[in-house]
Amino acid sequence: MGWHIKRNRLRVEELINEESLFFLGNGYLGVRGNFEEGYPEGFPTIRGTYINAFHDIIDIPYGEKLYGFPDTQQKMLNVHDTQSIQIYVGEEEELYALDQGQVLDYSRKLLLDEGCTIREIHWKSPLGKELNIRFERLVSFVHRELFMIKLNLIPVNFSGKLKVVSSINGDVENYANKEDPRVAAGEAKRLHLSKLLLNEGDGYIESQAEVSRLRTGCVTRHYTDSADVTVLEDDHSKQLLFNYVWDAEKSVPLSLTKRTVFVDSLRHEEDLYEAAIGLQHSLDEWSDDEIFHEQREYMQKFWQHGDVRVSGDHRLQEGLRFNLFHLLQSVGRDSYSNISAKGLSGEGYEGHYFWDTEIYMFPVFLMIAPDLAKRLLIYRYSILNHAKDRAVEMGHQQGALFPWRTISGKECSSYFPAGTAQYHISADIAYSYIQYYHATGDTDFLLDYGVELLVETARLWMDVGHFNKNGFSIDNVTGPDEYTAIVNNNYYTNVMAKHNLVWAVKAYRIARKRDSKRVTDLAESLSLTKEELEQFKQAAAVMYLPYDKQFGINPQDDTFLNKAVWDIGGTSADQFPLLLHYHPLTLYRYQVCKQADTVLAHFLLEDEQDFDTIRNSYNYYENITTHDSSLSTCVFSIMAAKLGDLEKAFYYFGDSARLDLDNLHGNTKDGLHMANMAGSFMAILFGFAGLRVKENGLHFSPKLPDQWSDYSFHVHGQGQLISACVTSQYMRLKLVDADCPVEVHVNGLHYKIKPDETLKVFLAD
């Protein structure tokens, strides 16, 4: 149960959302779930195929441009459309289409356990000919560049002519919506066709981005039996058309397989055509069945350790697996790519990478696939020099200021109060590096990447902050809550900066013990001195963390509590999200939060405050948070679980688990909410299971909602894989294929899990 996402009827109003829900990808390539045959004119659609990190550079228009504002931004491009397949029936060539004839039966499935989609239609033409149509498609996890469609046709009540026209189209553009700031705006046509050719039945298209000059190409090859084929080159419409005609017999199946290989100039050799043809030739050895079998094996291996099982709630189980599957499809696997806010499912936020990766998505992969988590960190390291340049551009003498929005490493955010001013992204990235070390103990990673990045981000805080009567303060920044901007001493920013400073020193010392000569050489290359490390320690020791005695909370910033409180209860439902209905300055004048800010800090660094302060802060901020951001409810679920309010934790968790499946924010059409999807996984592990990844290992504080009989999952810790199950009576922990024990903490008590033994910790009532 819970392995297939099904739709058994056609609902026109839902098709554009289903394009996101049924998208397929592999971290490199993403293809939206568009219908091969297309829609009737006037149907809303966003037809898209995307290559992770493939982008153009566009000018940012300003009415008044000031120093340090970015001149340009990067924009993920919609690349060649190879989805299209038209079907014609009989000598009359009746076109199979949604608005012609009659759909007698219909089903569509996303197979989470097999990594593919299947769409089946029983169609009756206007003249009465019935045809069974089956589309199977996948984007291969094994063959990175491959997108494949397999078409099966069965004439139900006739014999005669069947014609299929398969096309590849280079005349594509991006989607734009000027009315919604969360969606791309501006010029949509950025990719220009440069080659269109045929070679021994293969079709090849190559295009170039207008400004970045990045190039992408694709080769399409068809496989079929017994069909007559003709190929047309349409220079005017920039398409290649492959016509296949059968003399079909009643009830006899026919098939056509369409394999397309995508390449790009970021990752492939100079001659893209030769690269793509070479990849196609290598696939000739693989039958369709073998490719689908490989995909199933890949998914089975992933789910063996990635699945989170919940007993007693089918809808939540379905949502969890759906979310994890799409995260897997979107995670970048090379130094060019990361995970954008919408993954590879759509064009919302123009394909930019945010802090969402480190704080929401990275923890998922750290627990279930540490190798993928490491790749995400290496991407950030690959743009470290850009971050150092940005710090200089922003007036700093040292340090690394990572971009708020980016693809290739340069800042893409034009609205600085809620963009560039979110300096916390540098601390977020540092935090993820520290978490990786806690979970893996990988000191080689500290030597190769970690020490340098932690030192450079720590240097930023020394430059942007300053010592004063309060200790060490950081002024004029914006925290995660984008409804409050340009403030002094944002609690989240300060406490994360403190953690960054502490661990810049610790990582240096740990690495030095591992390889003193190499660290000495690294320190010399960084001009890092003992005096500077001591300054890091001093700043961290006196970091100013705002505290209000009256409420017993950490104020979000120095002046937050001085503002009037926004009347959330008195605001009509049609005025949410507030950012679409109120000027930012209006929002900035009130105590109103778009998302978790201080509450998020209490989750990430809970040891910085006592339990009462965390509880008081949660209660205070809950009343003034709109959750207009999809990043919010999962954090409130996690912290409600910590505080023992399982009813509330479950309520917030339910929202996060099915946000896209149920289109709760009304914008699933623009792409899936990747950070929220990760948040649903986090809500179980870090919320109900109470997991924290700390310097001395994994800590659990498990709880079981009344709605479930048990739940189970796998996590990595100290380089080992641990199987966990929580019931109302106990938490069961067992090592998987381990040869040495692992130390864990459950409800504050220390335990050792030994190989070939099961640790069962009984829970108090």
Side-chain angles (χ1 to χ4, degrees):
M1 297 288 287
W3 288 109
H4 297 167
I5 306 300
K6 302 177 183 178
R7 297 291 184 269
N8 293 318
R9 60 176 181 168
L10 282 164
R11 291 177 291 183
V12 172
E13 67 278 7
E14 287 297 317
L15 289 181
I16 193 168
N17 293 327
E18 290 180 15
E19 291 176 356
S20 296
L21 299 179
F22 286 82
F23 110 89
L24 293 175
N26 61 10
Y28 170 68
L29 179 68
V31 183
R32 280 175 65 82
N34 307 111
F35 282 6
E36 286 82 356
E37 68 273 21
Y39 306 140
E41 189 167 344
F43 276 44
T45 182
I46 304 172
R47 200 169 184 87
T49 300
Y50 314 105
I51 293 174
N52 204 347
F54 186 84
H55 66 278
D56 199 18
I57 299 170
I58 62 175
D59 292 332
I60 299 177
Y62 293 97
E64 298 180 20
K65 181 181 180 299
L66 299 179
Y67 182 83
F69 286 19
D71 297 308
T72 62
Q73 67 169 332
Q74 303 113 55
K75 178 188 183 78
M76 182 179 73
L77 295 186
N78 180 20
V79 300
H80 307 133
D81 178 11
T82 67
Q83 299 188 60
S84 296
I85 297 176
Q86 303 290 331
I87 302 169
Y88 299 86
V89 176
E91 295 297 331
E92 303 85 0
E93 293 196 355
E94 295 180 278
L95 173 66
Y96 160 62
L98 291 179
D99 60 342
Q100 299 185 35
Q102 183 180 0
V103 175
L104 301 177
D105 195 19
Y106 173 87
S107 72
R108 191 183 200 185
K109 292 184 288 187
L110 172 63
L111 281 61
L112 306 175
D113 53 345
E114 299 187 29
C116 65
T117 61
I118 298 174
R119 187 164 59 99
E120 296 178 306
I121 310 101
H122 183 183
W123 180 72
K124 184 177 182 180
S125 78
L127 294 179
K129 293 184 175 65
E130 294 182 28
L131 184 67
N132 281 329
I133 305 166
R134 177 184 173 98
F135 292 103
E136 297 177 79
R137 55 160 72 182
L138 64 75
V139 173
S140 175
F141 284 110
V142 179
H143 308 284
R144 177 180 67 170
E145 294 83 358
L146 175 63
F147 167 49
M148 185 169 84
I149 302 173
K150 185 171 183 178
L151 169 65
N152 290 280
L153 300 171
I154 302 177
V156 176
N157 65 349
F158 72 96
S159 297
K161 181 180 179 182
L162 265 180
K163 176 181 171 182
V164 170
V165 179
S166 173
S167 64
I168 58 176
N169 181 12
D171 188 19
V172 295
E173 60 183 37
N174 280 73
Y175 174 73
N177 183 347
K178 296 180 180 179
E179 304 303 318
D180 190 341
R182 299 167 296 182
V183 182
E187 187 179 348
K189 183 69 175 176
R190 307 292 306 183
L191 192 66
H192 303 291
L193 187 70
S194 56
K195 290 181 183 178
L196 183 74
L197 59 89
L198 291 165
N199 183 14
E200 298 181 355
D202 293 330
Y204 179 70
I205 293 181
E206 184 174 314
S207 298
Q208 187 171 61
E210 190 168 303
V211 177
S212 72
R213 313 307 288 173
L214 292 176
R215 294 174 296 118
T216 181
C218 68
V219 168
T220 297
R221 181 174 293 177
H222 296 84
Y223 299 81
T224 188
D225 294 325
S226 69
D228 295 326
V229 58
T230 58
V231 185
L232 302 175
E233 184 175 335
D234 190 340
D235 289 325
H236 177 70
S237 62
K238 303 176 183 177
Q239 293 188 85
L240 293 174
L241 306 175
F242 299 81
N243 296 329
Y244 294 88
V245 179
W246 291 268
D247 186 11
E249 296 182 25
K250 178 182 174 180
S251 301
V252 177
L254 301 169
S255 68
L256 173 73
T257 298
K258 182 178 187 178
R259 298 182 184 178
T260 302
V261 163
F262 287 85
V263 292
D264 73 281
S265 57
L266 281 171
R267 302 167 176 89
H268 298 89
E269 58 195 58
E270 181 66 23
D271 191 331
L272 294 185
Y273 175 73
E274 289 298 326
I277 284 292
L279 289 166
Q280 277 285 13
H281 287 331
S282 69
L283 289 169
D284 284 341
E285 304 173 11
W286 302 87
S287 69
D288 293 348
D289 288 344
E290 287 172 332
I291 291 174
F292 278 102
H293 178 71
E294 279 185 318
Q295 191 84 338
R296 286 193 296 272
E297 285 191 329
Y298 184 97
M299 292 309 307
Q300 287 170 7
K301 185 176 180 181
F302 171 75
W303 288 118
Q304 186 177 0
H305 298 154
D307 191 23
V308 175
R309 300 189 179 188
V310 176
S311 298
D313 197 323
H314 170 72
R315 282 175 54 80
L316 282 179
Q317 182 69 79
E318 181 182 71
L320 281 168
R321 287 176 176 156
F322 174 82
N323 292 349
L324 282 172
F325 175 72
H326 281 309
L327 282 167
L328 177 68
Q329 290 199 122
S330 295
V331 58
R333 291 161 169 80
D334 56 41
S335 61
Y336 301 102
S337 59
N338 201 266
I339 311 179
S340 71
K342 301 296 184 181
L344 294 169
S345 67
E347 299 175 27
Y349 297 110
E350 299 176 282
H352 294 159
Y353 312 136
F354 292 77
W355 70 302
D356 307 18
T357 298
E358 281 70 32
I359 299 303
Y360 292 85
M361 293 179 270
F362 169 82
V364 173
F365 295 105
L366 180 61
M367 291 295 98
I368 65 176
D371 288 345
L372 290 178
K374 183 177 180 179
R375 297 308 310 176
L376 294 173
L377 301 183
I378 291 173
Y379 161 79
R380 288 297 192 185
Y381 181 84
S382 76
I383 63 171
L384 179 58
N385 285 335
H386 285 301
K388 291 166 67 175
D389 291 342
R390 181 59 172 162
V392 172
E393 186 178 29
M394 291 297 294
H396 302 296
Q397 301 301 310
Q398 61 178 356
L401 175 57
F402 280 90
W404 180 242
R405 301 174 64 151
T406 193
I407 294 176
S408 66
K410 293 192 175 182
E411 179 64 80
C412 289
S413 177
S414 59
Y415 185 67
F416 74 89
T420 296
Q422 296 203 47
Y423 272 53
H424 65 83
I425 188 170
S426 288
D428 299 332
I429 293 167
Y431 180 87
S432 68
Y433 271 64
I434 299 161
Q435 286 282 287
Y436 178 80
Y437 175 72
H438 288 343
T440 66
D442 187 351
T443 51
D444 287 335
F445 182 81
L446 289 182
L447 285 162
D448 293 338
Y449 308 101
V451 171
E452 182 179 357
L453 186 134
L454 290 171
V455 166
E456 293 293 0
T457 48
R459 284 172 167 169
L460 176 73
W461 305 118
M462 297 305 299
D463 194 276
V464 71
H466 61 101
F467 291 95
N468 61 18
K469 63 180 181 180
N470 292 322
F472 191 83
S473 295
I474 299 174
D475 296 333
N476 287 330
V477 296
T478 298
D481 169 33
E482 294 172 1
Y483 286 173
T484 308
I486 316 295
V487 298
N488 295 342
N489 295 308
N490 168 253
Y491 177 82
Y492 178 94
T493 303
N494 284 23
V495 76
M496 292 290 281
K498 175 182 178 180
H499 191 61
N500 188 171
L501 290 162
V502 167
W503 269 93
V505 178
K506 282 189 175 184
Y508 172 83
R509 291 177 175 170
I510 292 168
R512 188 176 62 184
K513 287 182 180 179
R514 174 62 180 268
D515 191 332
S516 61
K517 183 182 185 308
R518 187 173 172 190
V519 172
T520 298
D521 292 341
L522 176 60
E524 184 176 344
S525 69
L526 296 175
S527 300
L528 178 66
T529 64
K530 292 181 179 179
E531 290 75 18
E532 185 175 19
L533 291 170
E534 185 61 30
Q535 290 174 349
F536 292 169
K537 284 181 59 180
Q538 291 174 359
V542 297
M543 179 67 70
Y544 175 54
L545 302 178
Y547 178 78
D548 183 85
K549 292 182 180 180
Q550 178 183 353
F551 294 107
I553 68 172
N554 293 115
Q556 190 164 293
D557 58 74
D558 280 355
T559 62
F560 187 78
L561 297 182
N562 296 334
K563 300 174 182 178
V565 176
W566 186 283
D567 183 8
I568 292 179
T571 304
S572 61
D574 62 1
Q575 295 298 294
F576 295 94
L578 300 182
L579 79 161
L580 296 184
H581 300 92
Y582 296 91
H583 192 281
L585 287 176
T586 299
L587 300 175
Y588 296 165
R589 294 185 182 110
Y590 287 87
Q591 290 186 52
V592 60
C593 299
K594 179 183 179 185
Q595 64 205 75
D597 191 303
T598 301
V599 174
L600 175 59
H602 289 331
F603 157 50
L604 298 177
L605 295 170
E606 64 182 15
D607 294 333
E608 287 289 342
Q609 300 296 336
D610 59 52
F611 186 83
D612 287 343
T613 300
I614 291 174
R615 182 188 59 220
N616 294 339
S617 292
Y618 178 93
N619 292 332
Y620 188 89
Y621 290 107
E622 185 186 26
N623 292 325
I624 57 173
T625 301
T626 65
H627 307 293
D628 284 347
S629 168
S630 64
L631 280 62
S632 190
T633 55
C634 64
V635 176
F636 274 81
S637 175
I638 291 168
M639 295 308 290
K642 176 180 175 61
L643 298 174
D645 191 339
L646 293 189
E647 182 178 347
K648 192 170 287 184
F650 192 81
Y651 165 76
Y652 283 124
F653 169 66
D655 275 355
S656 68
R658 294 189 61 90
L659 185 145
D660 280 307
L661 273 175
D662 298 337
N663 194 22
L664 297 180
H665 278 208
N667 63 345
T668 294
K669 69 178 178 64
D670 300 318
L672 305 175
H673 298 78
M674 290 292 153
N676 172 80
M677 289 179 146
S680 65
F681 178 92
M682 293 170 64
I684 289 188
L685 262 67
F686 301 108
F688 297 120
L691 173 63
R692 297 296 185 271
V693 183
K694 299 188 180 183
E695 186 175 0
N696 62 347
L698 301 183
H699 291 244
F700 295 96
S701 179
K703 301 174 179 67
L704 182 73
D706 292 338
Q707 294 86 345
W708 303 343
S709 56
D710 62 74
Y711 59 96
S712 59
F713 54 88
H714 289 81
V715 293
H716 281 83
Q718 298 176 23
Q720 305 286 350
L721 181 64
I722 303 169
S723 170
C725 178
V726 177
T727 73
S728 59
Q729 296 180 317
Y730 59 80
M731 182 178 202
R732 186 179 69 237
L733 299 167
K734 183 177 176 61
L735 297 179
V736 179
D737 298 328
D739 54 10
C740 60
V742 172
E743 297 182 0
V744 297
H745 298 78
V746 181
N747 289 333
L749 298 178
H750 175 264
Y751 297 91
K752 183 178 289 186
I753 315 175
K754 299 177 181 179
D756 302 320
E757 292 184 9
T758 298
L759 172 66
K760 187 178 285 188
V761 180
F762 288 90
L763 309 177
D765 293 334

